[in-house]
Structure formats: C-alpha cells, structure tokens
Amino acid sequence: QNKGYPFAIVSLHSTELDAHELHVVLDVDSGPRIRYDTLIITGTAVQDPVFMMRFLSVKPGAYYDERSIQRMDKKLRQLTYLTVARPSYVLFYDHKAKPVLCINERPASSFEGIIGIRNDEVNARQFKLTGEAGLHLSNLLQTAASLSLQWRRVASENSDLRCRVYYPFLFGTSLAVDNEFWLYRQDSS
C-alpha cells in the first residue's frame, strides 16, 4: 500500500505440518502499480492545486502511498483558513490515483484597532495620531502565505511597527520565506 500497490492481496495457499515445522505457502497478487495524478479540490475553498500537492507531500507521477492519504486531513486541519468538510478520499482509474479534498474556507484574516488624535505638547495647533492597529491577512494568493502588520503609538514620543511575511514553497520549491521586521522609534527631543 505504501509503495504503489494499494490493491495487493495476500492469501493462504496451503499449510503443511511436519514434526516440528510448519510450512506455509502464500499467494501474493500485487495488483496494478498506482501513481498519483492531479488533485481534486471540492468545497468553497479556492486553493492553488500545486501548493496543496506540495503541502500534502503528494507529487504527480510518484507512487501511491497510503500513509500520505491517511495524514491528509490532519495536515489540512493545521491550516487556520480551512475546514475539512468531509474526509478526503481517493479516486482510482487507469493505474492512477486522484486524491479528493473536501474543504471549505474559514475566515482567518482580521483587522482591529483604535486610533485617536491628541494635541501636540509643544505646539497646540498641531495634532498627533495615537493608538493601536493590527492587520493579519491569511491565505494570500491561495498559497497559505500570510502578512501581519501591527502599529502602536501610545505616547507622542515613541511608536512601534512590526511586520511579518510568511510565504511557503517559494517558486515551487521546498524553500519558505519567514521574515519579521520591527521598527521602534523614540523621539529624544
């Protein structure tokens, strides 16, 4: 099942008992060797099939592996912007396997914040922007990429900006970008 033969059958052909030994003859029918074809995605989720195949470790042309099929739903549940509507299954045809994912979108992006205006301590005719704001965007480009921005300015003399970008499977490879930028500004005048 894990090397491309999901329909292998092992049956007992004959047994023979001699004094202190048991002789067993088994019949093994490996069945057809199955390779992965493309992925079918059903449900409301719009996903890049190439990303999904990489994420689920299923490569077109690779030999069928039952373990990867059994792990699919568990891996899909790790993605915060998806829900598994029905258990995944496989369609077999012409020595090929097509995994079928039944997934729906779940809101995962968010924006929250509070912004205020206050007078500048030095010049009463000028105003300063204060507050906090956060933006988190999930599943950018249907590839699990995410962008997070956080801004904070409580006092007029300092501000804080944080940005994080995550992009898996960069250019279709196993590489990922996971960068964080933090800018803290304090006015010393």
Side-chain angles (χ1 to χ4, degrees), residues 110-170:
S110 63
F111 174 76
E112 57 192 17
I114 184 166
I115 296 179
I117 299 174
R118 61 183 242 179
N119 288 342
D120 187 6
E121 291 93 16
V122 177
N123 186 349
R125 291 184 178 190
Q126 288 187 348
F127 296 99
K128 294 277 184 167
L129 194 62
T130 61
E132 274 187 62
L135 172 69
H136 179 75
L137 301 174
S138 294
N139 194 28
L140 299 172
L141 308 172
Q142 288 82 39
T143 60
S146 64
L147 171 69
S148 295
L149 294 169
Q150 282 188 305
W151 170 79
R152 181 178 173 176
R153 184 175 185 174
V154 181
S156 61
E157 61 272 347
N158 60 25
S159 63
D160 184 16
L161 176 66
R162 294 174 188 244
C163 177
R164 180 172 184 242
V165 175
Y166 174 70
Y167 195 95
F169 304 111
L170 189 62

Side-chain angles (χ1 to χ4, degrees), residues 20-58:
H20 302 295
E21 293 180 345
L22 175 65
H23 298 277
V24 177
V25 177
L26 301 174
D27 284 334
V28 178
D29 178 9
S30 62
R33 193 148 200 200
I34 306 294
R35 292 180 183 265
Y36 286 117
D37 194 17
T38 55
L39 191 67
I40 298 173
I41 300 174
T42 64
T44 62
V46 178
Q47 287 296 293
D48 179 14
V50 174
F51 160 74
M52 274 305 202
M53 291 190 87
R54 286 194 172 279
F55 179 73
L56 297 171
S57 303
V58 175

Side-chain angles (χ1 to χ4, degrees), residues 52 55-58 66-89 100-103 106:
M52 274 305 202
F55 179 73
L56 297 171
S57 303
V58 175
E66 182 66 25
R67 293 173 297 195
S68 66
I69 301 298
Q70 292 172 351
R71 289 188 297 251
M72 276 186 184
D73 290 341
K74 184 178 179 181
K75 288 182 91 173
L76 287 169
R77 285 185 183 93
Q78 293 173 356
L79 299 173
T80 58
Y81 56 88
L82 293 178
T83 59
V84 178
R86 275 196 336 242
S88 300
Y89 59 95
V100 180
L101 309 179
C102 305
I103 52 179
R106 174 174 43 192

